[in-house]
Amino acid sequence: PPPGTLKVLKGRMEIIDGETQLKEIRFYSLPQQTSLEFSFGRNPGAPYKHIQINHPTVSRDQARLLYNNGSYTLINKADPVSKNATKINDEEIPINETRILKDGDKITMGVVSMIYREN
């Protein structure tokens, strides 16, 4: 997109472990975007709305991240029975359950681990 059309949102993910080319994930708002929802998964998806983690231990549809009033809420979409549940601080999150992220939270998707940073 042309310069100035994207707004960088606060918060980012630092990749700390796992076989991925990603090192950091930033989040952006597009012009006239009403809902700020981002998806994570192995499958490709829409630019600026989807984070592809191309590793076999990550589900095709792993998680959703909602941004509202300056905070992020993570929703697990991966079935814990499949052994690739989304974890926050090493706690498996049940399917469709939500957690509000706090600075320093460790999020694990398959073998990929990341730390949420508010700034």
Side-chain angles (χ1 to χ4, degrees), residues 71-82:
S71 67
Y72 289 95
T73 301
L74 189 77
I75 306 166
N76 177 37
K77 301 308 275 181
D79 187 354
V81 174
S82 67

Side-chain angles (χ1 to χ4, degrees), residues 56-59 62 77-86 92 95:
T57 62
V58 175
S59 290
Q62 182 76 39
K77 301 308 275 181
D79 187 354
V81 174
S82 67
K83 299 188 186 204
N84 59 349
T86 303
E92 285 189 7
I95 194 164

Side-chain angles (χ1 to χ4, degrees), residues 28-49:
Y28 302 91
S29 171
L30 300 169
Q32 289 117 14
Q33 186 175 4
T34 54
S35 118
L36 294 173
E37 179 176 329
F38 307 92
S39 57
F40 289 82
R42 190 173 67 239
N43 282 349
Y48 304 106
K49 293 183 178 185

